[in-house]
């Protein structure tokens, strides 16, 4: 371990001396040796766009794979992701990840949470705005749980706190994006570019955690 750390430190010294990012170069070499393709099991193209933007610098090719897996009814997103990992790893042998997310609204006792997909498909953003009509507490958060399978399951999480807007604003993104305004922003996710949304979002944070893991090299 000490040898690895001193090797890393010398790389940083050398890279600043010759003004070249050797550390990133070595990360890319390591990642390329161990993993060139990483499958993202999802039917959501918006999620794939966000993942590609975050993992771009690693030179890992993200390949979307639409493999149906059962989303069990559970109150915990982690449980849902672990079940999906287990199910898909029986059918698919290359390294892959999947992601499950939910919107939790304070005034509605964390509803829709794990039922976010069903609620979006049924009452949609208009329905959520109607449920909150006249309520002053519009606090909400998004949570993302990424499950990576690479010789075993590993979980990465991210949370984005914010508010439900008073109206639908913006046309970018997907799902609840036009009604969710993250903390420290005057815009909804629906008004942001992929890069900007990633800098605030639950998925962006979970992806950052996965990137840190991938940078260390994977088996
Ligand atoms: P799932 O993770 O694909 O099951 O998503 C659950 C529900 O939340 C779906 O209706 C998604 O469209 C919505 N959703 C998930 N992530 C986001 C997001 O980043 N922005 C807006 N809606 C989202």
């Amino acid at each position: 371990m000490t040898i690895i750390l001193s090797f890393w430190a010398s790389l940083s010294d050398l890279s600043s001396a010759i003004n070249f990012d050797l550390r990133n170069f070595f990360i890319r070499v390591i990642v390329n040796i161990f993993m060139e393709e990483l499958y993202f099991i999802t039917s959501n193209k918006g999620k794939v766009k966000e993942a590609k933007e975050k993992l771009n610098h690693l030179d890992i090719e993200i390949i979307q794979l639409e493999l149906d897996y059962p989303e069990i009814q559970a109150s915990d997103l982690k449980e849902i992701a672990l079940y999906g990992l287990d199910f898909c790893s029986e059918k698919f042998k290359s390294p892959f990840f999947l992601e499950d997310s939910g919107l939790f609204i304070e005034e509605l006792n964390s509803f829709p949470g794990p039922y976010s997909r069903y609620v979006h498909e049924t009452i949609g953003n208009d329905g959520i705005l109607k449920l909150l009509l006249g309520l002053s507490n519009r606090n909400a958060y998004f949570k993302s749980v990424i499950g990576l399978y690479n010789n075993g399951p590993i979980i990465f999480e991210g949370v984005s706190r914010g508010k439900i807007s008073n109206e639908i604003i913006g046309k970018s993104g997907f799902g609840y994006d036009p009604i969710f305004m993250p903390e420290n922003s005057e815009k909804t996710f629906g008004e942001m570019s992929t890069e900007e949304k990633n800098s605030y979002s639950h998925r962006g944070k979970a992806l950052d955690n996965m990137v840190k893991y991938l940078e260390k090299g994977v088996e």
Side-chain angles (χ1 to χ4, degrees), residues 42-44 47 50 69 71 77 80 99-103 112-121 125 142-145 173-180 189 197 201-204:
T42 180
S43 55
N44 186 326
K47 289 187 181 184
E50 292 174 16
Y69 62 93
E71 279 199 14
L77 295 180
I80 302 173
E99 193 260 5
D100 204 62
S101 38
L103 176 66
Y115 311 105
S116 295
R117 183 194 290 233
Y118 177 72
V119 169
H120 196 264
E121 281 167 3
N125 290 337
F142 262 118
K143 183 169 181 180
S144 160
V145 176
F174 59 91
Y176 299 103
D177 278 348
I179 59 164
F180 185 80
F189 279 162
K197 179 184 169 188
S201 81
H202 48 307
R203 189 167 305 101

Side-chain angles (χ1 to χ4, degrees), residues 170-201:
K171 289 190 163 47
S172 304
F174 59 91
Y176 299 103
D177 278 348
I179 59 164
F180 185 80
M181 204 176 266
E183 268 175 2
N184 303 319
S185 166
E186 294 301 311
K187 291 188 208 169
T188 65
F189 279 162
E191 295 176 280
M192 296 182 182
S193 66
T194 304
E195 191 179 358
E196 193 177 6
K197 179 184 169 188
N198 264 346
S199 71
Y200 288 100
S201 81

Side-chain angles (χ1 to χ4, degrees), residues 20-194:
F20 171 68
D21 198 346
L22 260 183
R23 189 174 167 274
N24 271 343
F25 173 75
F26 271 88
I27 286 169
R28 277 205 293 275
V29 170
I30 289 166
V31 165
N32 276 332
I33 289 171
F34 288 105
M35 189 195 280
E36 290 175 334
E37 293 173 341
L38 183 58
Y39 289 84
F40 186 2
I41 298 187
T42 180
S43 55
N44 186 326
K45 288 192 169 53
K47 289 187 181 184
V48 177
K49 200 170 169 200
E50 292 174 16
K52 283 189 171 174
E53 196 274 328
K54 271 287 177 194
L55 274 77
N56 190 24
H57 67 291
L58 289 181
D59 281 351
I60 293 180
E61 192 187 354
I62 302 293
I63 303 170
Q64 180 179 8
L65 181 67
E66 299 198 36
L67 178 68
D68 264 346
Y69 62 93
E71 279 199 14
I72 54 162
Q73 287 301 317
S75 54
D76 185 7
L77 295 180
K78 193 171 158 186
E79 229 181 287
I80 302 173
L82 282 170
Y83 185 88
L85 282 180
D86 197 40
F87 184 92
C88 294
S89 64
E90 292 290 316
K91 303 197 163 8
F92 193 68
K93 295 300 166 198
S94 301
F96 68 88
F97 67 101
L98 45 80
E99 193 260 5
D100 204 62
S101 38
L103 176 66
F104 299 78
I105 301 175
E106 201 170 282
E107 194 66 27
L108 305 179
N109 291 330
S110 296
F111 182 82
Y115 311 105
S116 295
R117 183 194 290 233
Y118 177 72
V119 169
H120 196 264
E121 281 167 3
T122 50
I123 63 171
N125 290 337
D126 281 324
I128 293 286
L129 293 181
K130 274 187 199 139
L131 288 174
L132 293 183
L133 209 60
L135 299 174
S136 57
N137 177 8
R138 305 184 75 87
N139 292 340
Y141 69 91
F142 262 118
K143 183 169 181 180
S144 160
V145 176
I146 292 179
L148 171 70
Y149 199 91
N150 180 55
N151 293 333
I154 169 156
I155 294 288
F156 306 96
E157 299 185 349
V159 169
S160 174
R161 297 190 181 280
K163 283 186 187 321
I164 302 297
S165 54
N166 290 313
E167 53 186 335
I168 291 176
I169 315 170
K171 289 190 163 47
S172 304
F174 59 91
Y176 299 103
D177 278 348
I179 59 164
F180 185 80
M181 204 176 266
E183 268 175 2
N184 303 319
S185 166
E186 294 301 311
K187 291 188 208 169
T188 65
F189 279 162
E191 295 176 280
M192 296 182 182
S193 66
T194 304

